[in-house]
Amino acid sequence: MHAQHQLIGARGWNGMAHITAFGDLTGDGRSDLVAAEKSTGKLRLYPGTATGTLGSHKLIGTGGWKAMNALVGMGDTNGDGRPDLYAREASTGKLWLYPGTRTGGLGSRTLVGTRGWNSSMGHLFSVGDSNGTDAPDLIAVTDRSYVIDGWSDNPGWQLLYTGRGDGRIEAAWRVTDTWWGFTAFC
């Protein structure tokens, strides 16, 4: 038996640099989607609807999102009951937290990771609460430049960063090394 496909957005998705599931930012009980436009750097929220499609977009970031090379809808990282967004800055390798607000937007960013998030982290994704602390966790999958004990060329390691519940994450620990070759995560 094959799963049926349902079209949730008709056009314009090839104009997006990054797209991520976001949880319920609008507060209507439905999961939403966030996307950054390639050409303008604007961040748009696409609310989920009762029919399982996406509603009309809402602008939640007026510019600057071209500077990010990864977006991760994390869930509630800071304990305020609203989903949050992690974004990786391409030029610096910094990881930023953008907290969800009660008005369905994003608050001021806070630095979560100071450097190195570009140098060896090929992919970032949220895994929910993997360790029972009631805070979502982040996994990074390494690329060939990841160094272990002075040796590079260690692609495919899963590095788990456990959430602290205040928007920040703990230091990483290596989980497994079998993820090289995966190119997209949802």
Side-chain angles (χ1 to χ4, degrees):
M1 179 176 255
H2 297 294
Q4 290 185 334
H5 301 282
Q6 180 178 356
L7 184 64
I8 61 171
R11 61 187 180 276
W13 296 103
N14 58 344
M16 300 299 172
H18 306 288
I19 302 169
T20 187
F22 198 72
D24 182 19
L25 186 60
T26 58
D28 62 2
R30 298 179 186 94
S31 294
D32 304 319
L33 196 76
V34 171
E37 291 181 353
K38 288 179 193 176
S39 62
T40 65
K42 292 179 180 177
L43 191 67
R44 299 194 181 275
L45 170 71
Y46 293 84
T49 67
T51 62
T53 60
L54 297 173
S56 298
H57 64 80
K58 171 187 172 186
L59 186 65
I60 60 171
T62 57
W65 293 93
K66 284 169 104 173
M68 303 301 173
N69 63 6
L71 301 178
V72 183
M74 285 297 297
D76 181 15
T77 65
N78 59 7
D80 65 0
R82 291 178 286 280
D84 304 315
L85 181 72
Y86 280 174
R88 181 175 58 191
E89 190 171 14
S91 65
T92 64
K94 293 178 180 178
L95 188 66
W96 296 95
L97 162 68
Y98 292 85
T101 66
R102 69 178 186 277
T103 60
L106 297 175
S108 298
R109 72 183 188 175
T110 303
L111 187 62
V112 175
T114 57
R115 65 186 189 289
W117 289 91
N118 275 343
S119 62
S120 61
M121 308 301 173
H123 302 286
L124 305 175
F125 59 101
S126 176
V127 291
D129 178 18
S130 66
N131 62 346
T133 62
D134 293 330
D137 304 323
L138 179 71
I139 282 192
V141 178
T142 64
D143 61 21
R144 290 191 179 278
S145 63
Y146 182 59
V147 176
I148 299 175
D149 300 327
W151 296 92
S152 61
D153 197 20
N154 293 289
W157 275 96
Q158 270 189 4
L159 304 179
L160 176 64
Y161 295 84
T162 56
R164 296 175 49 164
D166 61 1
R168 298 178 293 163
I169 49 179
E170 298 289 350
W173 56 280
R174 292 189 295 260
V175 179
T176 183
D177 67 348
T178 58
W179 284 77
W180 183 246
F182 288 93
T183 58
F185 299 95
C186 293

